[in-house]
Amino acid sequence: MSQDTRKMFMDVIRKWTPHLDEPATDDCWAPEIEKAGLDKIKEIQSEKLEVAFRYIYEYSPFYSKKYKEAGLTPKDIKSIDDLHKIPVTDKEDLRRSIAACPPWGDFSCLDDHYWKQDGWTIWWTTGSTGAPVPCRYTSFDRVTQAWQAARHMYMSGFRRGDLAMFCAPFITHMFAWAHLKGLELMKIPAIPAGPPMPTEARIGHILNYRPTLLLGTPTYMIYLGETIREKGISAKDLSIREILIGGEPGGSLYATRKRLMNLWGCDVCDGFGTTEVGALGGHAHTCVYETKDQGRNSNLHFTEDSGIPEILNPKTFEPMPDGENGTIVWSSVSTVSQPILRFNLNDIMNIQSMDCPCGRSFRMAKNGVQGRADDMIHISGVNVFPANIEEAVRSINEFGNEYRLKLMDGKKGMINLVVEVEIMPEVPENDHERLLGVLQTRIFDKCQVNPKIESVAYGSLPRAEFKSKRILDLRAK
Amino acid sequence: MSQDTRKMFMDVIRKWTPHLDEPATDDCWAPEIEKAGLDKIKEIQSEKLEVAFRYIYEYSPFYSKKYKEAGLTPKDIKSIDDLHKIPVTDKEDLRRSIAACPPWGDFSCLDDHYWKQDGWTIWWTTGSTGAPVPCRYTSFDRVTQAWQAARHMYMSGFRRGDLAMFCAPFITHMFAWAHLKGLELMKIPAIPAGPPMPTEARIGHILNYRPTLLLGTPTYMIYLGETIREKGISAKDLSIREILIGGEPGGSLYATRKRLMNLWGCDVCDGFGTTEVGALGGHAHTCVYETKDQGRNSNLHFTEDSGIPEILNPKTFEPMPDGENGTIVWSSVSTVSQPILRFNLNDIMNIQSMDCPCGRSFRMAKNGVQGRADDMIHISGVNVFPANIEEAVRSINEFGNEYRLKLMDGKKGMINLVVEVEIMPEVPENDHERLLGVLQTRIFDKCQVNPKIESVAYGSLPRAEFKSKRILDLRAK
């Protein structure tokens, strides 16, 4: 009977994986899904959720126990209207599961036999918070993941005839791997040029081999463009047609996007995904319309068939009204390795129905990812997201791309926030004070806080090749 | 007509790719080929060579010109008996082709249209000598390459139920990529743990997740095992069942293998492959019999269906008698991207028919790769291979794994060779002189030269994470 549930789940996943080998039309890989309309998507989600819940209940010891404790049986979950009955879960649950059953934990639906017969790879969460969690995926998942990633990139305008170059490492983060699998399916060749390849060699490859697509983090893509500019070469005149950024919140911020567009003279698309809940090439991406400069932050389409997004109050887990920010909670219903229901991603987003010129009916997140709930800093009763400060810094041309936030002990248990910025070397010194004042105002407009702003020598702040850490907590522990 | 030749070539490649999805038997992936016998293999090679030559003649501008200048037409090459008519080619040809037609050269059989429609990846030669050469491969090649790599690893004893871990980088070297594709086909899951992941994290993964297979260079695998030993942990007690080494000559040397076996308490297999001629998961590998400790250097099976090996005199390109050392010249007849005929790999090997207990009929290279022809040092009229010195150093337990050769100007244009070695810290100082004397004798026995031997502080010689460079040329230019 158990075996039947796995087979049943795999059959449902396959049923909703049309056009496995190539796109259906010139502008949309799988229009039956991507342009299906909200009602049809809810039907698909309900069909997948019912069997996914039964499957997890039967196969995942950790969640089976958790669901039984919550008084649930497989019969209780028939459609997405029952979703709220399922307890929210988070990374701490995964860590507890691993601590109890090392080294993999007992949260996934793989037993040792199945893993040995159909195993493919292991990636680890990037550990923005706490110890990395290993996530195993199978050959079955590899196919679905490649299809999801290809659909996303196709939506963002990647096409056969392009040449992609990776500026992110192929190690234990899923970012590069998931997109590589998609590119293989799309028959777009890829140059693997992530670390430990040095930046100089990467620039040489761009100049010599003229890739049209780059993939990496926004931080590194800006660094790369600037390094090219320092050589007296305009990156705008090179071959790059589009950049896919991911791995950091803030990829949808207009200030960051504009820096990229100004440096590279190309379109920019943002991708948002999470290793724990399927690594399916991202849960939300920019479509080809949003990759263009719209003079604002970009909006992301959720992949509502691969999972079910909810936006909840980060504390009470009550649903937020459409269009209001909250933590995103994702139910993964397209992987046999580790489907997870109502997993709190701890990223701040919103969700709303919008008519997008691209024609897709998936709901969207206006302005993309606002920041990680974990990164949220409470200053004098105000919630501050580093991404908002990033936006303020990068909106002023005279500042460099880097910034750093220092948290210091203030009076009576308060936090003093210091924002370190780099003023561009060509800016005359007698203009510095004015610029710092402008920044102060912009930060206050965005965040309602008044941090101390300090300028440091240009180039002195740390530059990361992959994900950046820009918060320095100097408070006494 | 042109299109017909490509199709004809692809059909022949497919015809000789049996059991594309899984192995035929418990001990051999494709026995129709691997156990076919020498005569049948010659038939297969002849069938492939005839159409490969026509295909290259029609599709590769560079080789078309070269062959016409040699007075050849497609009708001249009917079987491997005609192979000697084809001029030998080498890396300099590829460089000339690239210089004339940057950035790809005109040596491959891909036109821009085909590359854009079926492109997959680009790897670069590791540049043991000179500037790296870009090698493009297509989706069609990806399938054949994965099959070849899987066959090799299956021959070496890798099985479903294993868990592999990569200690080599996924950047522009084909080593890790080719084996990854093979593992995907074999449904053996793989942990991508190459650089820039630090050694400490890699050790953590081995301790936590208990991989059974490791892949990397011999140098790094010894370094990793020693680093584990320094922590007071015996690598023998860990989970490793077999190590696949490649990327450096010397992987078949008993002294090196024995160090690995002593450190890890496991089997060791060696793989030999070259990016330029198909990247088909290696041209020669150790079979499961040879992965065991046989008390001698290991022998490698050539993959005689994927290409045609010849052992020639490095200067005259006349065939060497069976069993005698010469440079290996490889004719690649299983890739549509860049088949190359009679490509001088510049590696010193031999070839001979041997009855192997594994039952495969492919001819073998006794002792594997002896060294690179380029690395050969002429000392007082004697050809010295660094691999022989490596063997001598590592045969004495009191020496560390590292060594370095310094070439200095001697009298009358002669070369003075200095061998630097590290004596293990626990060896009493009054025994040093005797040990250096033993090494002197062993080097003379192997190489007929008497270098100056110097001991340097333990740990002072450079350690590489990937391929090692151990020759320091200090002669006035």
Side-chain angles (χ1 to χ4, degrees):
Chain A
M1 178 194 151
S2 273
Q3 195 49 44
D4 286 352
T5 308
R6 175 173 277 147
K7 190 178 173 307
M8 209 189 306
F9 186 40
M10 287 162 91
D11 286 345
V12 171
I13 293 173
R14 277 202 198 94
K15 174 181 170 186
W16 295 113
T17 313
H19 311 290
L20 199 50
D21 296 326
E22 51 185 30
T25 70
D26 279 352
D27 74 331
C28 189
W29 195 287
E32 313 71 332
I33 290 174
E34 296 173 64
K35 297 183 175 179
L38 297 177
D39 291 343
K40 179 71 186 171
I41 285 297
K42 280 187 181 173
E43 270 181 47
I44 297 172
Q45 288 174 333
S46 290
E47 185 179 341
K48 284 182 153 184
L49 176 64
E50 184 180 8
V51 61
F53 184 78
R54 175 178 293 273
Y55 173 63
I56 296 170
Y57 201 99
E58 288 182 16
Y59 282 82
S60 161
F62 183 84
Y63 285 107
S64 183
K65 185 161 175 282
K66 182 161 176 154
Y67 295 160
K68 279 175 189 158
E69 281 168 8
L72 291 170
T73 74
K75 288 181 187 156
D76 292 319
I77 308 298
K78 294 286 184 197
S79 81
I80 59 165
D81 295 332
D82 300 317
L83 192 60
H84 68 277
K85 298 176 187 169
I86 302 172
V88 172
T89 182
D90 62 17
K91 222 178 205 175
E92 278 314 305
D93 275 331
L94 305 184
R95 295 220 178 86
R96 267 191 292 274
S97 165
I98 290 168
C101 303
W104 308 111
D106 57 351
F107 57 86
S108 103
C109 292
L110 299 177
D111 57 27
D112 204 45
H113 175 75
Y114 191 74
W115 168 239
K116 283 184 176 172
Q117 287 312 301
D118 196 51
W120 165 38
T121 195
I122 304 151
W123 295 317
W124 278 259
T125 58
T126 46
S128 303
T129 50
V133 170
C135 299
R136 292 175 290 173
Y137 288 101
T138 64
S139 306
F140 179 88
D141 290 322
R142 185 173 71 222
V143 175
T144 324
Q145 288 180 10
W147 176 78
Q148 291 272 6
R151 265 177 50 193
H152 284 299
M153 289 185 282
Y154 198 73
M155 173 170 83
S156 302
F158 288 24
R159 287 294 181 275
R160 248 166 125 162
D162 274 319
L163 171 61
M165 185 165 125
F166 280 93
C167 302
F170 285 91
I171 48 172
T172 56
H173 311 139
M174 70 101 180
F175 174 78
W177 293 108
H179 289 101
L180 180 75
K181 284 291 153 192
L183 290 169
E184 283 183 6
L185 179 54
M186 298 172 88
K187 297 201 176 181
I188 295 175
I191 304 174
M197 176 180 279
T199 293
E200 284 299 311
R202 213 169 279 142
I203 293 172
H205 279 356
I206 295 175
L207 296 174
N208 272 334
Y209 304 107
R210 305 183 58 72
T212 53
L213 311 170
L214 293 181
L215 298 92
T217 59
T219 299
Y220 182 73
M221 285 303 158
I222 291 175
Y223 175 82
L224 184 63
E226 290 197 332
T227 309
I228 290 173
R229 190 171 61 187
E230 282 164 11
K231 291 178 180 299
I233 300 167
S234 165
K236 281 185 190 181
D237 299 334
L238 304 180
S239 52
I240 307 304
R241 191 174 71 68
E242 190 165 346
I243 292 177
L244 189 160
I245 50 178
E248 290 174 353
S252 292
L253 291 181
Y254 187 57
T256 296
R257 292 171 55 80
K258 203 172 166 190
R259 292 220 166 199
L260 280 168
M261 292 185 278
N262 284 345
L263 272 168
W264 291 94
C266 74
D267 299 332
V268 177
C269 61
D270 188 19
F272 164 63
T274 318
T275 307
E276 298 97 312
V277 294
L280 293 171
H283 315 306
H285 265 227
T286 39
C287 66
V288 71
Y289 176 75
E290 292 287 331
T291 63
K292 311 287 176 193
D293 185 352
Q294 305 293 354
R296 53 164 170 74
N297 295 346
S298 61
N299 306 323
L300 305 181
H301 288 263
F302 285 105
T303 321
E304 291 196 89
D305 62 306
S306 94
I308 307 162
E310 296 172 275
I311 302 295
L312 305 181
N313 178 304
K315 296 236 158 81
T316 64
F317 295 131
E318 290 298 312
M320 300 295 287
D322 274 11
E324 286 196 22
N325 281 346
T327 185
I328 176 161
V329 169
W330 188 268
S331 291
S332 162
V333 290
S334 301
T335 156
V336 297
S337 297
Q338 52 182 67
I340 300 185
L341 303 178
R342 303 199 90 203
F343 186 74
N344 182 8
L345 297 182
N346 252 316
D347 283 302
I348 301 297
M349 300 178 93
N350 58 63
I351 191 165
Q352 47 199 307
S353 302
M354 294 162 75
D355 283 328
C356 181
C358 84
R360 282 170 183 80
S361 49
F362 291 145
R363 288 177 297 167
M364 299 177 83
K366 194 171 175 181
N367 300 328
V369 181
Q370 313 283 307
R372 286 193 61 78
D374 306 326
D375 284 349
M376 198 165 65
I377 308 163
H378 302 267
I379 310 266
S380 318
V382 177
N383 292 336
V384 176
F385 290 103
N388 293 130
I389 292 175
E390 175 173 319
E391 199 173 2
V393 172
R394 291 185 178 166
S395 70
I396 301 169
N397 290 332
E398 287 85 353
F399 289 120
N401 296 301
E402 286 302 326
Y403 65 96
R404 186 161 63 177
L405 308 184
K406 292 202 288 203
L407 310 183
M408 335 268 286
D409 286 311
K411 282 178 190 164
K412 297 179 184 173
M414 303 289 276
I415 298 174
N416 280 351
L417 176 65
V418 177
V419 179
E420 290 182 326
V421 291
E422 297 178 351
I423 301 180
M424 301 294 279
E426 63 269 24
V427 178
E429 206 155 329
N430 60 15
D431 201 23
H432 285 198
E433 202 170 326
R434 183 189 66 82
L435 288 167
L436 296 178
V438 174
L439 179 58
Q440 186 98 46
T441 307
R442 295 216 180 156
I443 290 176
F444 187 80
D445 287 349
K446 281 184 189 297
C447 315
Q448 279 74 54
V449 294
N450 257 318
K452 187 173 179 201
I453 300 182
E454 291 175 354
S455 76
V456 299
Y458 183 79
S460 68
L461 291 175
R463 266 79 176 158
E465 279 217 29
F466 196 53
K467 293 197 180 194
S468 295
K469 300 265 182 207
R470 295 197 175 96
I471 304 176
L472 204 59
D473 193 342
L474 302 173
R475 291 172 293 174
K477 298 297 172 217
Chain B
M1 177 192 149
S2 272
Q3 195 49 45
D4 286 351
T5 308
R6 174 172 278 146
K7 189 179 174 308
M8 209 189 306
F9 186 41
M10 286 162 91
D11 286 345
V12 171
I13 294 173
R14 276 202 199 94
K15 173 180 169 185
W16 296 113
T17 313
H19 311 292
L20 199 50
D21 296 325
E22 51 185 29
T25 69
D26 278 352
D27 73 330
C28 189
W29 195 288
E32 318 63 340
I33 290 173
E34 296 173 64
K35 298 183 175 180
L38 295 176
D39 291 343
K40 179 71 185 171
I41 284 296
K42 280 187 182 175
E43 269 181 50
I44 297 173
Q45 287 174 334
S46 291
E47 185 180 340
K48 285 182 153 185
L49 176 65
E50 183 180 9
V51 60
F53 184 77
R54 176 178 292 272
Y55 173 62
I56 295 170
Y57 201 98
E58 287 182 18
Y59 282 81
S60 161
F62 184 84
Y63 285 107
S64 183
K65 186 162 175 282
K66 182 161 176 155
Y67 295 159
K68 279 173 189 160
E69 282 169 8
L72 292 169
T73 73
K75 287 180 189 161
D76 292 320
I77 308 298
K78 294 285 184 198
S79 80
I80 59 165
D81 295 332
D82 300 317
L83 192 60
H84 68 278
K85 298 177 186 169
I86 301 172
V88 171
T89 183
D90 63 16
K91 225 180 205 174
E92 277 314 306
D93 275 331
L94 304 185
R95 295 222 177 84
R96 268 191 291 275
S97 165
I98 290 168
C101 304
W104 308 112
D106 58 350
F107 58 86
S108 103
C109 292
L110 299 177
D111 57 26
D112 204 44
H113 175 76
Y114 191 74
W115 169 238
K116 284 185 173 171
Q117 288 311 303
D118 197 51
W120 166 38
T121 195
I122 304 152
W123 295 317
W124 278 259
T125 58
T126 46
S128 301
T129 50
V133 171
C135 299
R136 291 174 292 174
Y137 288 102
T138 64
S139 305
F140 179 88
D141 290 322
R142 185 175 70 223
V143 175
T144 324
Q145 287 178 13
W147 176 79
Q148 290 271 7
R151 264 177 51 194
H152 283 300
M153 290 184 282
Y154 198 74
M155 173 170 85
S156 302
F158 287 24
R159 288 294 182 275
R160 248 166 126 161
D162 273 320
L163 171 60
M165 185 165 125
F166 281 93
C167 302
F170 286 91
I171 49 172
T172 58
H173 311 138
M174 70 101 180
F175 174 77
W177 294 107
H179 289 99
L180 180 74
K181 285 290 153 192
L183 290 169
E184 282 183 7
L185 179 54
M186 299 172 89
K187 296 201 177 182
I188 295 175
I191 303 175
M197 177 180 278
T199 293
E200 284 299 310
R202 212 167 281 141
I203 293 172
H205 279 358
I206 295 175
L207 295 174
N208 271 334
Y209 303 107
R210 305 184 57 75
T212 53
L213 312 169
L214 292 181
L215 297 94
T217 59
T219 300
Y220 183 72
M221 285 304 159
I222 290 174
Y223 174 82
L224 184 62
E226 289 197 333
T227 309
I228 290 173
R229 189 170 60 187
E230 283 164 12
K231 291 179 181 298
I233 300 168
S234 165
K236 281 186 189 179
D237 299 334
L238 303 181
S239 51
I240 307 304
R241 189 175 73 68
E242 189 163 347
I243 292 177
L244 190 160
I245 51 178
E248 290 173 355
S252 293
L253 292 180
Y254 188 57
T256 296
R257 293 171 54 79
K258 201 170 168 191
R259 291 222 167 197
L260 279 168
M261 291 186 278
N262 284 346
L263 272 168
W264 291 94
C266 73
D267 298 333
V268 177
C269 61
D270 188 17
F272 164 63
T274 318
T275 307
E276 299 97 313
V277 295
L280 294 172
H283 315 305
H285 266 225
T286 38
C287 66
V288 70
Y289 176 76
E290 292 287 331
T291 62
K292 310 288 177 195
D293 185 353
Q294 304 294 352
R296 54 163 169 75
N297 294 347
S298 60
N299 305 324
L300 305 182
H301 288 263
F302 285 105
T303 322
E304 291 195 271
D305 61 306
S306 94
I308 307 162
E310 297 172 277
I311 302 295
L312 305 181
N313 179 304
K315 295 234 158 78
T316 64
F317 294 130
E318 289 300 312
M320 301 294 288
D322 273 10
E324 287 196 21
N325 281 345
T327 184
I328 175 159
V329 169
W330 188 269
S331 292
S332 162
V333 290
S334 301
T335 157
V336 297
S337 298
Q338 51 183 65
I340 299 184
L341 302 178
R342 303 199 91 202
F343 186 75
N344 182 8
L345 297 183
N346 253 315
D347 282 300
I348 301 297
M349 300 177 93
N350 57 63
I351 192 166
Q352 47 198 309
S353 301
M354 294 163 74
D355 282 327
C356 181
C358 83
R360 282 169 184 79
S361 49
F362 291 145
R363 287 177 297 166
M364 298 179 83
K366 195 171 175 181
N367 300 328
V369 182
Q370 313 284 307
R372 286 193 61 78
D374 305 325
D375 283 349
M376 196 166 68
I377 308 163
H378 303 267
I379 310 265
S380 319
V382 176
N383 292 337
V384 176
F385 289 102
N388 294 130
I389 293 176
E390 175 173 319
E391 199 173 1
V393 172
R394 291 186 178 167
S395 69
I396 300 168
N397 290 332
E398 287 85 351
F399 289 119
N401 296 301
E402 285 303 325
Y403 66 96
R404 186 160 65 177
L405 307 184
K406 291 201 289 200
L407 309 183
M408 336 268 286
D409 286 312
K411 282 179 191 166
K412 298 181 185 174
M414 303 290 274
I415 298 174
N416 280 351
L417 176 64
V418 178
V419 179
E420 291 182 325
V421 292
E422 296 178 350
I423 301 180
M424 302 295 278
E426 62 268 24
V427 178
E429 207 155 329
N430 60 14
D431 201 24
H432 286 198
E433 201 170 328
R434 181 188 68 81
L435 289 166
L436 296 178
V438 174
L439 179 59
Q440 186 98 45
T441 308
R442 295 218 179 152
I443 290 176
F444 188 81
D445 288 348
K446 280 185 189 299
C447 315
Q448 280 72 54
V449 293
N450 257 318
K452 185 171 179 206
I453 298 180
E454 291 175 355
S455 75
V456 298
Y458 184 78
S460 69
L461 292 174
R463 265 79 175 158
E465 279 218 24
F466 196 52
K467 292 197 180 192
S468 294
K469 300 267 182 206
R470 295 198 174 96
I471 304 176
L472 202 60
D473 193 342
L474 301 173
R475 291 174 293 174
K477 297 298 169 213

